[in-house]
Amino acid sequence: MSRTARFLRDNSLTLVFGTAFLLTLVGQAASGIAEVNNELVAADLQPVSVAGYLTGSDFAVDVTENWQSEYLQFFLYIFGTVWLLQRGSPESKSLDRAGTESDRDQKVGPHAGNDSPAWARAAGLRRTVYSRSLGLVMAAFFLGSWFAQSVAGVSAFNAERLRDLQAPFTWGDYVFSADFWNRTLQNWQSELLAVASMAILSVYLRQRGSPESKPVGAAHTSTGVEG
């Protein structure tokens, strides 16, 4: 197997989903600019250019409100599954492993192997931070995209208000407005429903060969077992 073929195989999950992400982003941009320009033409206003739409608040708020809900889902899931359990689900740890587990279980400090990350072998703050780095980064992505959504959202919201000759909102006013929370909670509820559905459906249903599923013949009560 060539080096290129090996790289594609070894990284196929990230590459396929990353490519799909870019294609759907392009599709969203194309359909979004068509919708906005249809509305502008219907109101006897000048259509926006592709560059104008891509750098404008309408596109930014639509993208970032989806991103922040996705990263919220992963942040809550990563931290929640430290302590929360679901009997029979491969999405849950075994019922006797709730919590942060021992250093031996986590292979940190003196229990780290030769191939363990350097920060897993370190002591003090470095190990503490690295031990929670995945959740912390997801939290940072969530907060960053949430803030970006709020900034882009108030800009898009005020553009509509100005067209209707209404006074603009400040950022603080918008963050506590019904429009902002209607957009935000629509996304949050769908992500939380998806997580809850996956946790409980994977108790009883199977997908052969997927690490998100238990082995097909595993008992419904088997917990923390992946196929």
Side-chain angles (χ1 to χ4, degrees), residues 69-74 76-77 81 86 89 91 185-203 205 212:
S69 63
E70 294 292 342
Y71 283 118
L72 175 68
Q73 174 197 136
F74 283 116
L76 293 178
Y77 188 71
T81 50
Q86 175 58 58
S89 177
E91 300 295 310
L185 293 174
Q186 281 185 57
N187 287 294
W188 287 7
Q189 56 88 13
S190 63
E191 301 300 337
L192 296 173
L193 175 63
V195 171
S197 299
M198 184 64 183
I200 191 63
L201 291 177
S202 60
V203 174
L205 306 180
E212 298 302 310

Side-chain angles (χ1 to χ4, degrees), residues 88-123:
S89 177
E91 300 295 310
S92 167
K93 296 193 294 184
S94 299
L95 301 179
D96 60 348
R97 294 181 61 194
T100 56
E101 303 178 14
S102 68
D103 287 353
R104 181 183 296 276
D105 290 334
Q106 289 294 307
K107 299 180 180 180
V108 296
H111 306 288
N114 293 330
D115 57 350
S116 297
W119 281 36
R121 295 193 297 270

Side-chain angles (χ1 to χ4, degrees), residues 126-137:
R126 284 197 299 166
R127 187 199 303 173
T128 299
V129 171
Y130 188 69
S131 297
R132 295 160 178 80
S133 56
L134 181 60
L136 291 174
V137 168

Side-chain angles (χ1 to χ4, degrees), residues 156-171:
F157 186 69
N158 282 338
E160 295 182 3
R161 289 182 64 84
L162 290 173
R163 282 198 293 268
D164 296 333
L165 303 179
Q166 296 177 316
F169 275 27
T170 65
W171 178 82

